[in-house]
Amino acid sequence: ISRRHATYNFVLHAVNEGLTQATFFGTSYLLPLQSMLKSARGINFVTTATIPDPITSSLEIVDEYRKAMREYFPHQLLSTISLYSYINASIFIELLEKIPGIPTPEKVISVVQGLKQYPFKGLVLNFDARTRTLLANLWISPGHREQWIEVK
């Protein structure tokens, strides 16, 4: 049983118990529930993601992702999970190209820690020593087929 299945059951149970004027919130992992809950029961489900909308974003990295998906995986649906993986792999390749000589874990870490306001295919990579992250952006998907909102 996946977390999505458990979440879906929880939301349906809450609605069946009378919680009908609520909006539910979750992470991008639960994004597939948005359309299912909206079409089946009229339930609003808002999700958040650390990456942009894989379907409508005009960022260069997302355009590149969609092109690669059409070419190499034409029968797969676009998803936040595959876009997240694509972005991570693309950043890693970019980092490896910046390392002179043979890459080592120490060299990779050093390059990552040196990224400050680094433009990367429409994203800005900025290493935060406190959180040890490169991106601080958040995107909100307010509902099925609604434009995602970027929170900076």
Side-chain angles (χ1 to χ4, degrees):
I1 295 179
S2 74
R3 286 176 273 177
R4 276 189 281 225
H5 186 72
T7 301
Y8 182 81
N9 287 340
F10 167 78
V11 170
L12 289 184
H13 178 74
V15 169
N16 289 339
E17 292 296 316
L19 190 60
T20 57
Q21 299 300 314
T23 297
F24 294 89
F25 294 86
T27 65
S28 60
Y29 180 76
L30 300 170
L31 192 61
L33 291 180
Q34 268 186 333
S35 61
M36 191 181 331
L37 289 169
K38 188 68 172 178
S39 62
R41 303 290 294 266
I43 299 168
N44 294 320
F45 199 93
V46 175
T47 60
T48 60
T50 56
I51 54 160
D53 184 342
I55 298 168
T56 64
S57 174
S58 60
L59 293 179
E60 179 185 347
I61 188 72
V62 183
D63 287 340
E64 192 178 280
Y65 156 78
R66 286 191 295 258
K67 181 180 178 207
M69 289 295 286
R70 279 191 304 273
E71 184 175 345
Y72 299 108
F73 302 101
H75 303 294
Q76 295 295 314
L77 295 175
L78 301 177
S79 73
T80 53
I81 294 169
S82 60
L83 175 57
Y84 182 80
S85 299
Y86 185 86
I87 291 172
N88 282 331
S90 297
I91 291 171
F92 189 63
I93 291 166
E94 176 98 355
L95 296 174
L96 291 177
E97 290 173 348
K98 293 181 146 311
I99 296 172
I102 298 172
T104 64
E106 294 78 20
K107 289 179 181 178
V108 171
I109 291 169
S110 177
V111 170
V112 169
Q113 290 174 338
L115 294 176
K116 301 293 181 204
Q117 299 302 312
Y118 182 80
F120 181 74
K121 301 179 181 186
L123 299 171
V124 177
L125 306 179
N126 190 35
F127 180 72
D128 183 332
R130 186 180 56 80
T131 61
R132 305 205 55 80
T133 59
L134 287 175
L135 288 172
N137 297 47
L138 181 70
W139 282 266
I140 298 172
S141 173
H144 180 58
R145 293 193 176 143
E146 292 185 40
Q147 184 68 38
W148 288 26
I149 302 162
E150 181 179 9
V151 180
K152 295 183 181 183

